[in-house]
Amino acid sequence: MHKALLLLSCGLFAGCTNVVSDRVQYLHPNQAEGYHSTRVFELAREHLAGNGYHCELDGVHFASCAKITRDSSLHSTRVIIRLEREHDEGNSVLLLASRWDEGLIPSEFISNRFESEDLARLCQHLASRHIATCKETPS
């Protein structure tokens, strides 16, 4: 009986981690307006920072922006949007969004589908200003 309680309590306090990703997107700068991927990269980081994301930068080629959307003693949820500018991808910027759930709620009770509203808003923001468009293919 004691072994069963010990195993049960270890399972409860060990916690669970669940990671789900949105579909991959690429930002394509509007070259007719004179935007280059470096400027689009900066504008995307500025937009995310203005919407509560904390961005860690690695020059002008990589940024990881995170925002905590749920923070309780039992469970926390963090959304991470990564921007990567690769030379071999032309002038586009790779966008990846993922949701990290950590805590005592087993992954069976957490949705395995994720579509980042913040990523969609970023794409809408840049498209409405004719800066860049989001597509599912590189340039």
Side-chain angles (χ1 to χ4, degrees):
M1 178 69 172
H2 293 297
K3 287 183 181 181
L5 286 175
L6 179 64
L7 287 174
L8 180 60
S9 63
C10 286
L12 285 176
F13 292 111
C16 301
T17 300
N18 187 37
V19 180
V20 180
S21 295
D22 197 348
R23 66 185 188 277
V24 174
Q25 301 257 359
Y26 292 89
L27 273 176
H28 295 272
N30 187 346
Q31 293 180 354
E33 297 292 325
Y35 289 101
H36 186 268
S37 61
T38 304
R39 180 68 179 135
V40 170
F41 192 83
E42 292 170 3
L43 293 169
R45 288 190 324 227
E46 288 172 10
H47 177 79
L48 291 170
N51 284 290
Y53 282 82
H54 172 73
C55 295
E56 294 179 11
L57 313 174
D58 180 14
V60 294
H61 298 287
F62 175 80
S64 179
C65 303
K67 176 180 173 181
I68 296 175
T69 58
R70 180 186 310 136
D71 192 14
S72 73
S73 58
L74 295 177
H75 189 81
S76 67
T77 301
R78 186 174 36 162
V79 175
I80 298 174
I81 296 179
R82 292 178 41 173
L83 298 98
E84 294 184 32
R85 189 170 72 92
E86 303 267 345
H87 294 294
D88 57 340
E89 290 295 336
N91 201 25
S92 60
V93 176
L94 175 69
L95 295 173
L96 299 166
S98 57
R99 185 190 74 216
W100 290 66
D101 290 288
E102 298 172 333
L104 300 178
I105 300 173
S107 60
E108 291 83 16
F109 299 113
I110 300 172
S111 173
N112 63 356
R113 300 186 74 217
F114 175 63
E115 291 183 18
S116 173
E117 294 175 9
D118 291 328
L119 183 60
R121 280 192 285 263
L122 172 63
C123 289
Q124 290 172 353
H125 170 73
L126 295 173
S128 70
R129 286 164 177 72
H130 306 288
I131 297 169
T133 56
C134 289
K135 298 179 182 176
E136 292 187 22
T137 58
S139 59

